[in-house]
Amino acid sequence: MTKKKKLGEILVADHLITLEQLSEALELQKIFSDQTIGQLLCRLDFMNEADLGYILEQKGHREELSQILVRKNFLAEETVRGALELSCREQLPLTRVLLKLHLLNEEGVARALAMQYDLPYVHLDSITIDPEMSRYISAGYAHKRRIIPVSKIGNTLTLAMASPLDLQELKDLSSSLRLKVIPVVVSENEIIFAQQRLYKGTPPAPTSLESEIEDIPDSIVEILTGAGDEPEVDEEVTRVTERDSILVKLVNKIIYDAYQQNASDIHIEPALGREDVIVRIRIDGHCKIYQKIPYKYKYALPSRIKIMAELDIAERRKPQDGKINFRNFGPVDLELRVATMPTVGHLEDVVIRLLRAEKARPMENLGLAPRDRREFEAALTQPYGMILVVGPTGSGKTTTLHSGIALINRTDIKIWTVEDPVEITQKGLRQVQINSRIGLNFAVVLRSLLRLDPDVIMVGEMRDQETADIAVEASLTGHLVLSTLHTNSATETVTRLLDMGLDPYSFSDSLLCILAQRLARALCEGCREEYLPTDPERMEIIEAFGEESLKKLGIAQGELRLFRAAGCNLCLSTGYRGRIGLYEILVCSEEIKLLIKKRSSSDIIRLQALAEGMRTLKQDGILKVFQGITDMHEVRRVCIR
């Protein structure tokens, strides 16, 4: 974990306190060892809480909770690392994970938070709260924010809280109350009990994601209990509304379970006759059956989803697409993309894509080999030119582009992105959402962006010749252009664009590199097994990777060790957990440029790229097999050659 400068050094360097004042606080800390330097500086009136909060929050010097837990010996570093991983995976606060796993109790969490925010930790058990305190903070706001007013002395209100409020919210609260607010940290249980006493037993509002979803039943069976008969088609269209409780619970449960299982898509598949409606979800690129819904809902289920997406429920003959803000219907802040398709028997299939609000991933987490990463980052630092990331739908192209953009995202560089949809956001980017219904397509936006003085332009996809022509023109006139394309390999991308109608001379002069990628399932680190390959497996690997290439790595044929999926509770007995990228990068050297101008075939370009050091997708996958990251089954599944 990264070690930051001590708070005292920061405050002295910023001339907010003197060295003598810091020395006095350090001497006092020898007596009050349980209090932080920040708390003692406020206690000595050398600083106030508002100034201290500004320094810690606005200047990014607040220590991470995970660092405090290790530094103060609350937990071992390995334990904290595991809790952080679970926190990211389940999208829950670290404090909630610590309590859920019984790693810390309520008091331990509160003490750690107090240290993080340089606030006093207090007990409410021995404090009698005046009933008059309820007039300062309403019951609803107190329950929602897990806070309670404790006492008022003069013009100062002491406010106990389970999780420290944002600095701006504290200022707003202080301004609205016309009082100075002094925050203190208290355990969540004590807050709840004190609220019940102060607000006469008013039930507290939900305090976590788990309590927010108590209304969602545990199983589909519970929802479907007591359901009626199969309705007629015409009756169903007029009857289904957002107030139909069974359908509301059914759809919310399906979406929430898919979200919890980290699925990317939900497939609703009604069948003819009295066959059940099949609901499948896609996890790590693989579809599996989630549930079978009774046939009586084969019309109601698509209709309910169409209502949520504001689509025409009476139109069953044409495909439709829309979007849902699931926060309006359920407990998760999630955007859903909905597409419907009419099928035989006047039925409709529905596919829902779950779009989680994501941040750009660090480049080191993508899984690029050292040579590939070096070449890709070198292309990103060029002042102009074109970088292409290619692969099938769902192969992580947008994630890779945003990771690259994050490396060059600085205040002195103006970056525009044109996407459909905008899935990843970054501070400092100007992002445009495509809307084809009003004619706002990639070509239209890209042409307009050239008049907005950009340095870098990211185009979500090159769907047609017009978009490709404008992108090439922009890359030749002083802009760095990044885009994606649906092709099978880096070399096939060249012939695809030339067949689309691009001028080979302009295209070759603009191209910097092409990065092709796939996503393969990663082996679960908790249960993967190492084994010696059989002779046929060994020969397959040698043939696919190349005997000479294998020798260059210094790996003898008899020393090959592979890994395979085993299955455990951590990976739900699948043997796989998460996905890893497989890559190949074609760098546009002078020789490659010459081949492009000659309109050479993709095979000739591929041979030249291999001679210059390119590793194919399959070779990159095999390297990751040697490292125990994935297995040959996955490499064969996603790579052609």
Side-chain angles (χ1 to χ4, degrees), residues 491-504:
T491 52
E492 287 180 23
T493 304
V494 175
T495 54
R496 167 75 183 279
L497 287 170
L498 293 179
D499 290 342
M500 194 183 285
L502 287 186
D503 175 54

Side-chain angles (χ1 to χ4, degrees), residues 66-229:
S66 56
Q67 294 174 314
I68 292 172
L69 294 172
V70 175
R71 183 171 59 80
K72 290 292 185 179
N73 297 317
F74 281 88
L75 295 168
E77 184 172 349
E78 184 178 347
T79 304
V80 173
R81 192 181 297 116
L84 277 171
E85 181 184 341
L86 183 60
S87 171
C88 294
R89 187 169 70 250
E90 300 296 333
Q91 296 189 342
L92 290 170
L94 178 59
T95 53
R96 192 63 55 192
V97 171
L98 295 171
L99 293 172
K100 190 179 181 70
L101 297 179
H102 304 290
L103 297 174
L104 286 180
N105 57 22
E106 296 274 0
E107 181 178 341
V109 169
R111 286 186 179 278
L113 283 172
M115 292 178 183
Q116 183 187 19
Y117 286 85
D118 287 287
L119 296 174
Y121 169 77
V122 300
H123 283 290
L124 293 183
D125 295 343
S126 58
I127 299 176
T128 301
I129 300 177
D130 189 338
E132 283 292 309
M133 291 295 102
S134 62
R135 70 187 182 91
Y136 293 105
I137 304 291
S138 68
Y141 183 75
H143 290 315
K144 184 178 181 181
R145 290 290 186 262
R146 290 178 291 168
I147 61 176
I148 188 169
V150 175
S151 65
K152 178 179 175 292
I153 300 176
N155 199 39
T156 301
L157 180 73
T158 301
L159 190 65
M161 52 190 69
S163 181
L165 297 180
D166 177 79
L167 180 63
Q168 187 58 50
E169 189 169 3
L170 266 178
K171 288 182 177 180
D172 293 342
L173 188 62
S174 177
S175 177
S176 63
L177 293 174
R178 296 183 180 179
L179 295 171
K180 180 182 179 182
V181 176
I182 301 296
V184 296
V185 177
V186 177
S187 70
E188 188 169 339
N189 281 336
E190 288 191 54
I191 289 281
I192 292 173
F193 290 138
Q195 287 176 343
Q196 290 173 343
R197 292 195 303 268
L198 181 61
Y199 296 109
K200 310 301 180 185
T202 306
T207 59
S208 71
L209 181 62
E210 291 179 2
S211 57
E212 284 182 9
I213 62 166
E214 286 178 353
D215 291 337
I216 295 183
D218 292 332
S219 69
I220 295 290
V221 175
E222 181 183 340
I223 299 173
L224 298 176
T225 301
D229 297 329

Side-chain angles (χ1 to χ4, degrees), residues 273-289:
R274 292 178 173 262
E275 295 290 326
D276 289 339
V277 178
I278 304 297
V279 180
R280 296 196 288 170
I281 58 177
R282 187 182 296 277
I283 301 174
D284 291 339
H286 273 246
C287 270
K288 72 171 187 176
I289 293 179

Side-chain angles (χ1 to χ4, degrees), residues 8-9 15 35 48 60 67-68 81 101 106 144 262 276 294 304 370 372 382 494 507 509 519 549 577 639:
E9 296 173 4
H15 305 291
Q35 295 197 27
N48 59 49
Q67 294 174 314
I68 292 172
R81 192 181 297 116
L101 297 179
E106 296 274 0
K144 184 178 181 181
N262 204 30
D276 289 339
R304 168 62 189 169
D372 294 348
Q382 298 302 309
V494 175
F507 175 48
D509 289 340
L519 288 179
S549 299
R577 193 168 170 219
C639 298

Side-chain angles (χ1 to χ4, degrees), residues 43-76:
R43 183 171 182 172
L44 292 167
D45 290 329
F46 295 152
M47 292 195 72
N48 59 49
E49 289 82 359
D51 290 338
L52 183 62
Y54 177 84
I55 288 296
L56 294 173
E57 289 191 13
Q58 301 300 322
K59 296 196 175 184
H61 292 312
R62 191 181 299 287
E63 191 173 11
E64 296 290 338
L65 181 62
S66 56
Q67 294 174 314
I68 292 172
L69 294 172
V70 175
R71 183 171 59 80
K72 290 292 185 179
N73 297 317
F74 281 88
L75 295 168

